[in-house]
Amino acid sequence: WKANYWKPLQTGLNCDQGDTKVVKNLTGLPEDHFKKPQVELQIPLSPWRAASEEGVPTIKVSDVIIPQSFTESERPLIVEGAGGLYVPINETEITSHLIEHLDLPTILVARSGLGTLNHTLLSIEHMKSRGIKIAGIVLNGEINTGNAETIQHFAPDVPIIAQIPHQKDGDLESLIELVPSIDKI
Ligand SMILES: C[C@@H]1NC(=O)N[C@@H]1CCCCCC(=O)O
């Protein structure tokens, strides 16, 4: 999609390079497609726990602001969360509140294998109950037609955008054809 990319809240930098670097390296997109996270924390925990253990002031969802250069950009913007929908950002706010605040359609990325039905269908129900617009689902891992069909059965109104198998040799080019063009989303 040659999109801009932003991860507003990043935790776990003491043991991980962080998703912005990972996406930069995987995509090879130029520097101006990226902005650093608004909050960077060291401990690999939820933003709430990491901030409180690191003595960083409470992160308020309403303080998270998409960088102006991205709101003014012609390119699509991918905003990546930290963990899942129910991951706490502070004592009372979770990632769903951040989605509502930023008012963006959401792509749910899930595993393809055993365990995904429960996680994915609960996440879909949660998003629907909060009025979050679901752009679709991406299933990562070994192609699992049965699970994809079961998700479609229980959530026929939610499209599965793509099913992406593991790519051990790092040849990402061959996966691009599995991703539909963004105007089909
Ligand atoms: C450590 C990782 N860093 C990050 O930015 N996302 C992850 C945070 C995951 C939090 C999961 C909380 C849970 O569900 O237990």
Side-chain angles (χ1 to χ4, degrees):
W1 294 346
K2 302 206 168 29
N4 293 324
Y5 173 90
W6 190 49
K7 170 137 175 150
L9 311 175
Q10 173 72 58
T11 69
L13 286 171
N14 66 2
C15 58
D16 189 288
Q17 59 181 329
D19 289 332
T20 308
K21 275 201 186 132
V22 170
V23 174
K24 211 180 273 185
N25 291 338
L26 286 175
T27 60
L29 286 167
E31 200 63 37
D32 69 335
H33 286 248
F34 302 91
K35 286 261 173 269
K36 82 190 210 55
Q38 188 168 325
V39 180
E40 293 184 311
L41 295 159
Q42 299 304 312
I43 307 175
L45 292 174
S46 69
W48 177 36
R49 299 308 304 183
S52 63
E53 290 195 19
E54 290 175 43
V56 167
T58 302
I59 304 160
K60 272 174 53 193
V61 159
S62 58
D63 289 342
V64 177
I65 308 288
I66 298 175
Q68 197 182 352
S69 61
F70 282 170
T71 56
E72 289 172 352
S73 170
E74 298 281 292
R75 298 177 198 134
L77 171 65
I78 303 292
V79 177
E80 179 158 352
L85 292 160
Y86 224 105
V87 169
I89 290 173
N90 59 49
E91 202 176 345
T92 56
E93 294 177 303
I94 62 175
T95 299
S96 297
H97 293 116
L98 180 59
I99 295 171
E100 285 164 350
H101 163 66
L102 298 177
D103 194 21
L104 297 172
T106 300
I107 295 174
L108 179 69
V109 181
R111 286 177 296 120
S112 59
L114 192 64
T116 203
L117 296 177
N118 185 53
H119 290 172
T120 307
L121 294 170
L122 277 173
S123 294
I124 290 170
E125 183 172 280
H126 173 83
M127 285 194 278
K128 284 182 175 170
S129 77
R130 287 183 170 263
I132 292 171
K133 181 174 168 8
I134 310 174
I137 298 171
V138 172
L139 289 176
N140 274 345
E142 199 175 330
I143 300 294
N144 188 321
T145 319
N147 278 347
E149 282 172 10
T150 304
I151 291 166
Q152 290 290 248
H153 173 78
F154 281 96
D157 50 336
V158 178
I160 295 182
I161 296 174
Q163 299 184 57
I164 311 287
H166 283 140
Q167 195 62 354
K168 292 192 193 75
D169 59 8
D171 172 22
L172 297 180
E173 290 289 325
S174 65
L175 299 177
I176 288 177
E177 65 189 37
L178 301 175
V179 181
S181 113
I182 195 160
D183 35 69
K184 300 229 167 66
I185 308 295

